[in-house]
Amino acid sequence: MGRVTSRYRVVRMADGVADSRPDTLAAAKGDILLALETTVVSSRVHAGATLASVLRAHDVAVADAAAIVAQAAAVFDLRKVRANQPYRLETTHTGTIRAFEYEIDGDRFLRVGRSPDEALVARVLPIPKTRSLEVVTGSIDREHTSLVAALDAAGETIDLTLALADIFGGDIDFSTELQPGDRFELTVEKQFRDNDQFAGYGPVLAAEFTNAGRRVRAMRFTPEGGAPGYYDDHGRSMKRFFLASPLKFQPVVTSGFSSARIAYCDKAANPSI
C-alpha cells in the first residue's frame, strides 16, 4: 500500500476577508473546512504492472488515464517501466489527474502535469541534485583485506570500488598484489537528492594508491577535442592495453587473507580483490 496524503481547502476569516489556500494542517478555530481538494499517493510499481494498470489501480478517470499513457509514450518507452520504481500520483476527489511522476532511474523522472490550459503534458526531467567534492581515504589491513572491504569500511559503495579498480587496473593487480599497509586517497564528486539522500557518484577527479611502498597517482583530464581520461604524474595515460587484472571480477567481501579465494567470474582460484 502506498503512502496517501490529502489536501483540504481551508478558508480563514480575517478582518472580513477570506484567505483561501491549500493546507494539510488541522483547521484553526473559526476556519471553514471545505471539500477534499486532492489526494497524493506515493508508492512503487508492482511486478508485472504497466503505466495503464497503475493508473487503473488508483481509479484515475478513464479519459485522463488514456491521455497520460499517450503523452508519456511520446517521450518515454513505456515498455521500460520497471518494478519497484517509485511513483507519485496526485488526483482530485473526482479522479481527475493533477500530476503523475515516475522515477525512470537515478538521474531522470517522467512527469505528466497540467499546462495552463489544463491539457496534460509529459516531459522527462533531470532529478534535482546537489553535488560536492569529498576526499575518501582507506587502507588494506588484516580486517579489510580487499579493495571492496576497505572502501566499505570507509562508508562507500561498490560503485566507487569499481571506479578505483578501473583507474589503477593497468598498474595494480587487485586480485594478487594487495598487502596490509596499502592505502589509497581519492577526490570524488558525490551527488545528493533534495532530502540529503545519497544519489551516486560523479567522476573521480584524482586518486592515489600506495601498493607495497610504490605510490601510483592518477589525475582526470580532458584533452582538447578528446574524451576524459586518467593520466599519471608524467602525463601518460593510465589506460593500458593489457591490464594487471585482465578479467572482470565479482567483488566479494570476506575476512582474512587467503591464497585460494574464488574471485573471478570464470571461477579461477585467486586471492581476494
Side-chain angles (χ1 to χ4, degrees):
M1 175 66 71
R3 180 166 53 87
V4 180
T5 57
S6 299
R7 293 181 184 172
Y8 294 81
R9 179 71 67 178
V10 176
V11 179
R12 286 198 162 85
M13 306 301 294
D15 299 326
V17 178
D19 174 22
S20 179
R21 61 189 178 89
D23 201 332
T24 57
L25 301 177
K29 185 177 181 180
D31 292 342
I32 303 171
L33 188 61
L34 301 183
L36 176 67
E37 186 182 56
T38 60
T39 299
V40 178
V41 178
S42 297
S43 189
R44 292 181 179 270
V45 177
H46 296 301
T50 63
L51 175 56
S53 68
V54 167
L55 297 173
R56 283 197 303 270
H58 294 292
D59 297 322
V60 173
V62 174
D64 278 351
I68 291 171
V69 170
Q71 291 293 319
V75 297
F76 176 65
D77 185 352
L78 296 182
R79 294 173 299 179
K80 295 182 179 179
V81 171
R82 293 183 292 139
N84 207 40
Q85 287 298 101
Y87 67 87
R88 179 181 179 275
L89 179 67
E90 184 175 348
T91 60
T92 68
H93 67 285
T94 61
T96 301
I97 194 76
R98 290 285 297 273
F100 174 79
E101 295 178 357
Y102 164 77
E103 189 170 309
I104 298 171
D105 51 34
D107 298 312
R108 303 171 298 153
F109 71 101
L110 169 69
R111 187 179 196 281
V112 183
R114 294 284 179 183
S115 66
D117 63 359
E118 290 299 306
L120 286 167
V121 178
R123 293 182 294 170
V124 173
L125 301 169
I127 293 175
K129 296 178 183 178
T130 58
R131 293 169 168 80
S132 65
L133 293 181
E134 296 190 16
V135 175
V136 176
T137 61
S139 61
I140 305 298
D141 55 33
R142 291 291 176 181
E143 292 184 0
H144 309 100
T145 63
S146 69
L147 187 60
V148 176
L151 276 163
D152 182 67
E156 307 303 330
T157 73
I158 189 64
D159 295 324
L160 192 57
T161 304
L162 295 173
L164 193 60
D166 188 57
I167 293 170
F168 292 116
D171 290 271
I172 301 170
D173 187 339
F174 288 103
S175 67
T176 63
E177 295 180 354
L178 293 185
Q179 299 180 19
D182 287 358
R183 59 188 183 276
F184 55 84
E185 179 177 315
L186 60 138
T187 301
V188 63
E189 178 188 280
K190 290 187 178 182
Q191 302 171 355
F192 299 88
R193 303 278 281 267
D194 54 6
N195 57 358
D196 292 328
Q197 176 187 358
F198 177 67
Y201 300 101
V204 174
L205 301 183
E208 178 179 299
F209 203 105
T210 302
N211 172 234
R214 179 175 65 101
R215 186 169 60 185
V216 185
R217 289 176 174 171
M219 296 287 294
R220 181 181 169 89
F221 175 72
T222 304
E224 185 176 354
Y230 292 92
Y231 297 82
D232 64 16
D233 288 336
H234 303 286
R236 294 174 301 203
S237 174
M238 299 291 290
K239 192 80 171 177
R240 304 286 191 265
F241 185 75
F242 294 104
L243 299 180
S245 300
L247 299 179
K248 293 292 183 183
F249 59 82
Q250 234 175 354
V252 177
V253 180
T254 55
S255 60
F257 280 88
S258 169
S259 60
R261 294 222 187 115
I262 297 178
Y264 289 129
C265 295
D266 64 355
K267 305 303 182 183
N270 288 284
S272 63
I273 294 160

